Amino acid sequence: ALIPHPKGEIDQMKAAVLKNWLELELTDIPMPEPTENEALIKVKLAGVCGSDITVYRGKHMTATVPTVLSHEILGEIVTLPENYAGPFKVGQRVLMNPIISCGECAACKRGLTHVCENLKLLGIHVDGGFAEYTKVAVDKLVAVAEDIPDDVAILSEPFAVGVHLMKNSQIEKGDKIFISGGAAVGLYIAILAKAEGAGRVIVSEINEPRRKFVESMGIETINPSETDAMDLMKEVTDGAGFDKVYDTSGAAACILQMPDLCRCGGKLFSLGLSGDAYPFIIGKVSFKEITLVGNRLYSQQDFEEGAKFVEENWKQLGLDRMVSDRLALGEIEKALNMMLDGTNLCKIIINCEQ
């Protein structure tokens, strides 16, 4: 697809291609060619997510290589389909729902398009955002409000995950909540749970600079190397257990402890996508009649609600502070290593125009 460019018409673009697990290369690849229902997008910013690390390490259960990572994408519309008559315009800033569902399988027919049996995701199964351009179906575009900065709007996709999770959580006023892991996802959950009316929301994070950052965002925290989670549970709940327990860490010790921290009739939420096996004692769930809930992605409506939450609350909640690191397209490997080492405080975003 030849498109106008300051240097003349171009048919190649720069992209960070995951050639194999743990093998990333910044290289030129052909420009995406939009089909009849797709828009071509010039990528401005792309977020780095924990699931990108799961894919990078070869631990994701369905990811394929070679691929261009990143499903958190903000850009500008370059082209729209020929006879498009919808609300979007060329040059408009947009976010994009990265989900590609088949529409035909049993899950899709039940309205569960986000867990489609043939699900593909931008940045995991097809080329995503760590590139100068990408393409996306026009019905997956989400408008960005004019007065919101790029590096705040880019937080909308992770907040969409949180919005979907909150619908599954059905938080009741005063609920006591425990969250393992204070990286970006844990922080989104804590912010949204408080907005939903939860009572005490406590995040457990072993990385001390990250724990301090979460605390600076107004969230109660513990460092599990200093405070025993079971002792905390006894103190906070008189030994009854937390109403809702979330694991965002994927750490075996945290996952195995979840039923012990949860009250009878409470709910456990796992956000891990790893295919690793754990010696999880299911009897602990049965004896306490705990509900164990898996969570993945969001609907288009959840995505739009996530974008709206960010737009309406970013100034009051200081959400702009959640972007802790800004790197250029050529520094993707550095970004992934920061995630692996835990040296990033919160969200890393990649400027794909640099």
Side-chain angles (χ1 to χ4, degrees):
L2 290 170
I3 72 155
H5 188 269
K7 298 173 188 164
E9 291 195 324
I10 55 166
D11 62 356
Q12 295 275 306
M13 66 170 182
K14 284 260 178 290
V17 180
L18 185 66
K19 300 228 159 167
N20 207 334
W21 316 126
L22 299 171
E23 190 187 324
L24 194 82
E25 186 184 342
L26 186 68
T27 186
D28 287 336
I29 63 171
M31 287 281 294
E33 296 198 18
T35 59
E36 59 186 353
N37 70 337
E38 291 179 322
L40 181 69
I41 307 293
K42 185 177 196 307
V43 182
K44 291 164 79 71
L45 298 178
V48 186
C49 173
S51 63
D52 292 322
I53 303 307
T54 308
V55 176
Y56 179 64
R57 294 171 61 220
K59 296 281 188 182
H60 193 283
M61 290 168 72
T62 61
T64 52
V65 283
T67 194
V68 175
L69 294 174
S70 186
H71 55 274
E72 301 176 11
I73 309 165
L74 180 142
E76 202 171 90
I77 299 173
V78 179
T79 66
L80 286 161
E82 205 173 331
N83 299 315
Y84 177 74
F88 294 98
K89 294 178 173 57
V90 168
Q92 185 175 348
R93 272 192 318 163
V94 287
L95 297 154
M96 55 219 71
N97 175 346
I99 295 172
I100 304 165
S101 1
C102 73
E104 300 296 320
C105 70
C108 283
K109 285 176 177 169
R110 284 198 166 100
L112 301 171
T113 52
H114 63 293
V115 285
C116 163
E117 290 166 23
N118 306 299
L119 188 75
K120 288 187 170 58
L121 273 163
L122 292 181
I124 294 181
H125 310 99
V126 295
D127 289 349
F130 292 154
E132 291 180 292
Y133 295 87
T134 192
K135 62 176 185 171
V136 66
V138 288
D139 63 354
K140 295 298 171 71
L141 294 172
V142 176
V144 177
E146 273 181 34
D147 58 348
I148 187 169
D150 288 350
D151 58 2
V152 175
I154 191 70
L155 299 171
S156 300
E157 191 278 344
F159 269 99
V161 174
V163 165
H164 181 72
L165 178 62
M166 288 302 111
K167 289 178 183 177
N168 281 343
S169 300
Q170 297 175 319
I171 284 173
E172 292 173 21
K173 199 164 176 58
D175 269 357
K176 296 183 173 78
I177 287 174
F178 184 86
I179 302 163
S180 287
V185 180
L187 184 49
Y188 302 137
I189 295 168
I191 289 168
L192 286 164
K194 285 182 78 171
E196 292 277 315
R200 277 183 82 174
V201 177
I202 302 169
V203 171
S204 172
E205 175 54 62
I206 201 162
N207 176 324
E208 191 57 18
R210 188 175 286 163
R211 185 197 66 75
K212 284 182 175 164
F213 174 73
V214 172
E215 204 156 79
S216 79
M217 292 291 291
I219 307 294
E220 188 177 349
T221 64
I222 62 159
N223 186 325
S225 66
E226 296 168 7
T227 304
D228 182 77
M230 288 299 289
D231 290 344
L232 175 83
M233 179 273 287
K234 287 168 189 161
E235 179 200 324
V236 171
T237 71
D238 291 330
F242 289 98
D243 298 291
K244 315 278 189 314
V245 179
Y246 300 83
D247 179 69
T248 72
S249 70
C254 298
I255 291 166
L256 300 182
Q257 193 177 39
M258 287 172 81
D260 301 325
L261 294 171
C262 191
R263 69 166 170 84
C264 293
K267 288 184 179 176
L268 306 180
F269 298 87
S270 166
L271 284 96
L273 297 171
S274 166
D276 289 343
Y278 303 105
F280 187 81
I281 301 170
I282 201 70
K284 290 182 177 182
V285 172
S286 305
F287 270 79
K288 291 166 87 171
E289 272 206 355
I290 290 169
T291 304
L292 175 59
V293 186
N295 272 272
R296 192 180 184 194
L297 299 168
Y298 34 70
S299 66
Q300 181 73 12
Q301 186 184 340
D302 296 333
F303 196 111
E304 289 168 9
E305 288 175 22
K308 195 91 180 140
F309 181 88
V310 172
E311 180 193 327
E312 290 176 352
N313 296 283
W314 75 271
K315 286 182 180 169
Q316 181 194 344
L317 296 175
L319 300 185
D320 50 320
R321 293 181 55 227
M322 293 178 71
V323 176
S324 57
D325 299 275
R326 295 165 175 82
L327 298 172
L329 186 56
E331 299 177 291
I332 302 278
E333 201 133 23
K334 179 184 175 184
L336 296 174
N337 283 323
M338 285 172 72
M339 294 277 284
L340 284 166
D341 299 341
T343 49
N344 60 305
L345 282 183
C346 198
K347 177 59 69 179
I348 304 174
I349 55 171
I350 303 298
N351 184 333
C352 295
E353 298 180 307
Q354 285 181 333

